[in-house]
Amino acid sequence: MRRAHTVQQVRAAEAVLMARLPEGTLMQRAAAGLAATCARLLPRVYGSRVLVLAGSGDNGGDALHAGALLARRGASVRAVLLAPERVHAAGLAALLAAGGRVTADQGEFGRADLVLDGIVGIGGRGGLRPEAQPYAALERRGPVVAVDVPSGVDPDTGEVPGVALRADVTVAFGTYKPGLLVDPGASYAGVVHLVDIGLTLPEPAVQAWQHADLAALLPAPSAESDKYRRGVVGIAAGSARYPGAAVLAVAGALRGGAGAVRYAGRAAEEVVRRFPETLVSEGGPAAAGRVQAWVVGPGSGEGAAQALAEALASPVPVLVDADGLTELARTGPAALAGRTAPTLLTPHTGEAARLLAGVSGQAPPAADDLAAARLATARRLAAAYRATVLLKGSTTVIAAPGGAVRVNPTGTPWLATAGSGDVLAGLAGSLLAAGLDPLDAATAAAYLHGLAGREASAGGVPVTATEVARALPGAWGAVRG
Ligand SMILES: NC(=O)C1=CN([C@@H]2O[C@H](COP(=O)(O)OP(=O)(O)OC[C@H]3O[C@@H](n4cnc5c(N)ncnc54)[C@H](O)[C@@H]3O)[C@@H](O)[C@H]2O)[C@@H](O)CC1
Ligand SMILES: [K+]
């Protein structure tokens, strides 16, 4: 599991350690880790050209100290001081003593075999300042290594409010910062290396799950478990106009670990033709038999309001997607007020905008703005609707109403394809029915769906939602090892 801590959490942990250790110890640890990573990236340190971009804080200090260590190993190290009057004095002194030099020549950027971005770290807000902005656009020859965070990326949110420096590698101290795991910040970070500097950290603010975390969570039937004990998932999706959404949601549900899939809606004929193992009925959720979780909304069209009302009136977990979300946005959080079981909402940013409008009563915000502020958007929705929210997109973010946040590391842009969300909804609903709580069900579904998408698009070819559904068993297998 990758764990990310907020700036506040890191600062608190740092303060505890600083009080115990001689001054400068943490920076020395950080600089040593940084220099070691740089040395691995360079064909050879001796004789290579390294440029340090040093801002006014300790981030610049780390970079200057690392530059000094590389200079001692024979690198030719130059430093651009973006705020010379406030530069980290000890760092600069170390660099000069090791034979490094200060330069004001921007051309060094393009000549360097490696650039160390120490402009700003966790003390930064608001994108790069004007004096640093030109570096974001310059041609580069060697890798850019970000110190702790790519400068210009908000460490807590991954937002890039202006210009940021794109890194090939980020060397993060002690822990990931949320902004390294969430786009757009994550896409600026490149490959992230962690350097242990001895911090004792609390529960992470954001987690990104990996294979081993998932493997421990996925339902595994025991010898005695019959189909009912494994859970029955109800799918209220599709309509005469959109039967395909029903078929895809059922396809996802059949591969989510529930013991049986019950379909309730207008596309029963198509569903049973494609998947004869499905239990079907043509009415709504209220008239269907017992289930352990409902999925409502994909392709529901005009039937969405009725299906949503019936599903929400049931005492089991409900996943609301697509047309169900549009309907929910009309009423706002009030529609969930009487629920006794949890609710999971799975919006893309357009639907998230409508859901937020359902809270504020104002016009929906621009979906692009929400995409640029993914963590904040998921958290706001989870708090307002008191529901778990899976916000789809480039870095899917899952936020629980209690504050826990997870981000999915397995996505691929090819998943942004028609029907892909229907498969995800069915899959997540199936995991809910199998007994996972909404946060775990959403985490596991996003992860498996992402892996399946990657698998189906092997080598980066476009995929269809049907192919994603077919690749799900392979994704389970990969996770289970
Ligand atoms: N917290 C920790 O545990 C440790 C922190 N270390 C380093 O210290 C860094 C934090 O140092 P600081 O608190 O001094 O903060 P930073 O060095 O991240 O930045 C603060 C400085 O940057 C300037 N600044 C703020 N926003 C800016 C922007 N948008 N563009 C340009 N300049 C901007 C401010 O005027 C301030 O002087 C970490 O990122 C890490 O690199 C390490 O030395 C090791 C230990
Ligand atoms: K930086």
Side-chain angles (χ1 to χ4, degrees):
M1 182 186 301
R2 297 196 176 129
R3 297 174 172 79
H5 293 84
T6 62
V7 171
Q8 199 185 10
Q9 289 179 315
V10 171
R11 296 250 192 239
E14 179 200 36
V16 173
L17 209 51
M18 293 257 235
R20 291 212 309 260
L21 295 171
E23 204 187 325
T25 308
L26 284 191
M27 191 173 279
Q28 291 305 338
R29 287 180 187 171
L34 198 51
T37 300
C38 294
R40 282 197 298 274
L41 290 170
L42 289 164
R44 61 200 280 257
V45 177
Y46 189 87
S48 61
R49 302 173 76 113
V50 173
L51 180 69
V52 175
L53 300 175
S56 54
D58 284 357
N59 196 250
D62 292 340
L64 289 164
H65 276 293
L69 293 171
L70 294 169
R72 291 212 179 279
R73 293 177 60 178
S76 161
V77 184
R78 301 281 178 276
V80 171
L81 310 181
L82 289 140
E85 68 292 349
R86 290 185 293 139
V87 69
H88 192 277
L92 180 59
L95 179 70
L96 296 176
R101 280 199 259 144
V102 170
T103 179
D105 179 5
Q106 280 189 4
E108 289 286 346
F109 190 90
R111 289 191 287 274
D113 298 310
L114 185 145
V115 174
L116 262 172
D117 160 21
I119 301 173
V120 60
I122 61 172
R125 286 288 176 280
L128 282 181
R129 290 188 183 155
E131 66 273 18
Q133 287 176 11
Y135 292 95
L138 290 179
E139 285 287 319
R140 55 184 65 180
R141 193 163 79 120
V144 172
V145 178
V147 181
D148 213 16
V149 189
S151 298
V153 169
D154 186 299
D156 278 343
T157 66
E159 292 169 37
V160 178
V163 176
L165 205 62
R166 209 170 273 283
D168 299 286
V169 174
T170 295
V171 179
F173 303 129
T175 178
Y176 286 79
K177 317 303 176 288
L180 300 178
L181 297 179
V182 182
D183 275 338
S187 70
Y188 281 82
V191 179
V192 180
H193 290 255
L194 274 188
V195 168
D196 183 5
I197 55 170
L199 300 181
T200 304
L201 290 153
E203 276 293 299
V206 174
Q207 304 175 343
W209 282 33
Q210 292 170 305
H211 275 29
D213 310 302
L214 256 287
L217 193 85
L218 291 179
S222 64
E224 312 84 67
S225 63
D226 59 36
K227 67 184 179 209
Y228 293 106
R229 266 188 246 175
R230 279 172 55 204
V232 179
V233 56
I235 305 288
S239 50
R241 199 158 159 216
Y242 304 113
V247 170
L248 289 167
V250 167
L254 286 168
R255 292 167 175 101
V261 179
R262 195 184 281 290
Y263 172 80
R266 305 288 292 279
E269 246 180 65
E270 283 84 350
V271 166
V272 86
R273 200 177 314 128
R274 279 293 293 279
F275 300 114
E277 57 273 59
T278 316
L279 312 160
V280 300
S281 57
E282 297 208 328
R290 273 191 60 196
V291 299
Q292 276 69 50
W294 275 108
V295 172
V296 58
S300 292
E302 285 166 6
Q306 181 68 24
L308 180 66
E310 291 182 13
L312 291 180
S314 73
V316 299
V318 174
L319 182 155
V320 188
D321 186 41
D323 295 342
L325 292 170
T326 305
E327 206 46 56
L328 180 61
R330 271 193 247 282
T331 48
L336 305 182
R339 292 216 13 92
T340 51
T343 313
L344 170 58
L345 311 178
T346 54
H348 54 58
T349 45
E351 289 154 351
R354 291 199 280 279
L355 286 170
L356 286 172
V359 178
S360 66
Q362 292 168 353
D368 283 352
D369 292 346
L370 300 187
R374 317 189 56 77
L375 271 182
T377 301
R379 282 191 173 122
R380 263 172 76 194
L381 281 174
Y385 282 84
R386 292 171 163 272
T388 301
V389 172
L390 179 157
L391 179 64
K392 291 180 256 193
S394 168
T395 321
T396 288
V397 175
I398 302 135
V405 177
R406 301 203 186 130
V407 301
N408 182 51
T410 63
T412 155
W414 290 120
L415 281 172
T417 184
S420 156
D422 306 336
V423 175
L424 176 68
L427 175 65
S430 192
L431 289 160
L432 279 176
L436 271 62
D437 72 35
L439 181 63
D440 286 346
T443 306
Y447 195 96
L448 292 168
H449 186 251
L451 274 190
R454 284 187 187 177
E455 171 68 29
S457 81
V461 298
V463 294
T464 66
T466 302
E467 289 161 353
V468 175
R470 280 199 198 117
L472 284 171
W476 276 72
V479 166
R480 281 265 162 76

